[in-house]
Amino acid sequence: MILVLDFGGQYNQLIARRVRENHVYCEVHPQSLSIEKIREMAPKGIILTGGPNSVYTEDAVTCSPELFELGIPVLGICYGSQLMAHLLGGKVETAPTSEYGKTEVTLNAAGKSSKLFAGVREKSICWMSHTDYIAEAPEGFTVTAFTPVCPVAAMENEERRLYATQFHPEVMHTEQGKEMLHNFVYSVCACKGDWKMDSFVKTTIAELKAKIGTGKALCALSGGVDSSVAAVLLSKAIGKQLTCVFVDHGLLRKDEGDQVESVFGPEGPYDLNFIRVNAKDRFYEKLKGVTEPEKKRKIIGEEFIRVFEEEAKKIGAVDFLVQGTIYPDVIESGLGKSAVIKSHHNVGGLPDFVDFKEIVEPLRLLFKDEVRAAGRELGLPEYLVNRQPFPGPGLGIRIIGEVTAEKVKIVQEADAIYREEVAKAGVEGLGQYFAALTNMRSVGVMGDGRTYDYAIALRAVMTSDFMTAESAQLPWEVLQKTTSRIVNEVKGVNRVLYDCTGKPPATIEFE
């Protein structure tokens, strides 16, 4: 097992994602994890993440220097590299020139023979994001890489198995970052690579049986891949003790409520206790006049829990609430001292009072592609495993500003057209694509008349883990056809935009 200590950066969980790609189990914990607990966990290696602080300030997030005396290999990344240098006697200061983005990094003679950089080219593009830098490496350390403005882009003390990179090997923009992390977990940490999805599925089912026992569980089922995999895991563990509740909050894609019921309801292929709750009016009323994104997410999260509580009471004593929360949800809702990017309706959006003994989240430590792999292991059909992601708050966060029934109708119709045209064109490799309704209205001309209507924004990204993403370069013909259909077929829209922003700096969803 590799232990990742989180110092508050935003790329942190990508590290766990990359480590697991090597079939090595990895967990992320706050940097405040005690030395005693670390000894007890006995990791094969430790990775220190990036973070927003400066290591030399009084309020800097830090760790015990004893960490480096445990005899466990350590890799420091960005802030983690600076902290290693600072705590071990090196010099960290404000960089004369900050680096952000794709940067050419050069290995020196020592770097070419480093275990960490085995198979890595002398010059390669890496992702930098720092305003401080290591001005002097600690005693006993050898500089292994540099850039024109960063004299210590990487350093190591091979004897003590301490390694550091100023750049981010976990980010896909670092061309050979995967090789570097592979080298660390195998060549430096001597991991075996025996963590596979089949073992996760078997272990999780056994743990769920033991945890729930003879109790009853209520599963929050949306029909998306996350909650679907969670539901099937639970059904294999406890059978008819599980009831799946599907809340139709009126914020679903066009016809999606009926599609979900056709798959999981009485006529579907799965042996589940299925309840559909039509709560559209209730959610619209709660969202009336609300424009702030975080407030919308919190309201939707609280209403979800209230509905579940009410359904649970109808079916008798229910001890556990099951949710399809996955790792990116947890990360973006804040871990330790990490900045909160946005609250997820089933993590940071939970109300303070929940009327259940416990919330069960069997997928909490899996990334999206790992959830899909678990779904395949469980025998779920490909069309369900590869279903396009859809956020728990639904169209509520794809409508900028106040949510109304009229706006929901607009975005449902526009999104349906967009998805239909992408499918007809046979575009492949998209991680996620959808239409969102902006709160911008502009002047247009349709026929002989003036219009003053909304603008739809189209989004399509390519990603494997949903932690980073690049905007997809869709064929112009697809965008042109989609635009023409939307402005002609969807009442209230006179302009269509395409979002070319990657993640970072944007998130995939608009709110």
Side-chain angles (χ1 to χ4, degrees), residues 131-399:
T131 53
D132 291 338
Y133 77 153
I134 300 170
E136 294 177 15
E139 185 178 344
F141 278 75
T142 301
V143 176
T144 52
F146 62 91
T147 76
V149 297
C150 183
V152 187
M155 66 177 191
E156 66 183 55
N157 184 321
E158 184 179 12
E159 183 182 351
R160 297 172 67 185
R161 298 189 292 174
L162 303 178
Y163 295 80
T165 63
Q166 180 59 68
F167 55 85
H168 290 267
E170 74 276 20
V171 174
M172 64 182 179
H173 304 302
T174 297
E175 291 177 340
Q176 293 188 275
K178 288 185 178 182
E179 288 93 328
M180 298 172 198
L181 289 172
H182 180 277
N183 291 337
F184 180 69
V185 299
Y186 283 106
S187 301
V188 177
C189 301
C191 292
K192 293 179 180 178
D194 53 4
W195 188 72
K196 304 282 198 308
M197 192 47 65
D198 58 349
S199 61
F200 168 82
V201 168
K202 289 175 186 174
T203 302
T204 302
I205 290 173
E207 288 174 349
L208 289 169
K209 281 181 181 176
K211 185 183 192 72
I212 296 173
T214 58
K216 289 184 180 179
L218 185 64
C219 180
L221 180 65
S222 69
V225 62
D226 302 334
S227 63
S228 297
V229 172
V232 176
L233 272 172
L234 265 292
S235 69
K236 287 184 178 292
I238 61 170
K240 288 291 188 178
Q241 295 163 235
L242 171 69
T243 297
C244 291
V245 174
F246 167 54
V247 177
D248 187 345
H249 49 21
L251 301 170
L252 297 169
R253 289 171 286 206
K254 185 178 180 180
D255 300 327
E256 193 163 45
D258 294 337
Q259 291 168 4
V260 170
E261 185 166 1
S262 71
V263 173
F264 291 98
E267 305 303 317
Y270 303 109
D271 186 25
L272 301 170
N273 295 319
F274 179 83
I275 297 173
R276 178 175 177 174
V277 183
N278 293 304
K280 177 174 67 174
D281 294 340
R282 175 171 174 171
F283 277 83
Y284 287 178
E285 183 62 32
K286 286 283 185 179
L287 290 167
K288 188 179 292 184
V290 179
T291 59
E292 205 278 313
E294 278 296 292
K295 191 172 182 183
K296 285 200 285 187
R297 284 177 172 271
K298 297 280 186 182
I299 287 170
I300 294 169
E302 178 153 351
E303 281 308 294
F304 260 86
I305 297 299
R306 297 287 85 84
V307 172
F308 291 141
E309 286 176 346
E310 291 164 15
E311 292 306 316
K313 287 170 183 171
K314 290 178 187 175
I315 63 174
V318 172
D319 307 295
F320 298 92
L321 172 65
V322 183
Q323 291 187 323
T325 309
I326 65 173
Y327 223 170
D329 301 337
V330 178
I331 301 148
E332 294 189 342
S333 294
L335 173 69
K337 291 188 178 291
S338 294
V340 174
I341 301 172
K342 58 190 180 185
S343 294
H344 285 260
H345 83 284
N346 51 353
V347 188
L350 285 175
D352 296 331
F353 170 76
V354 183
D355 192 18
F356 299 89
K357 183 194 295 182
E358 193 173 342
I359 290 176
V360 178
E361 298 168 311
L363 308 177
R364 188 180 178 85
L365 295 179
L366 295 188
F367 290 96
K368 179 67 74 173
D369 59 323
E370 293 173 327
V371 174
R372 296 191 197 282
R376 293 187 184 97
E377 187 67 29
L378 287 162
L380 289 171
E382 273 305 305
Y383 75 85
L384 186 55
V385 169
N386 283 319
R387 188 169 188 174
Q388 191 184 160
F390 190 62
L395 299 179
I397 57 170
R398 292 182 182 173
I399 295 171

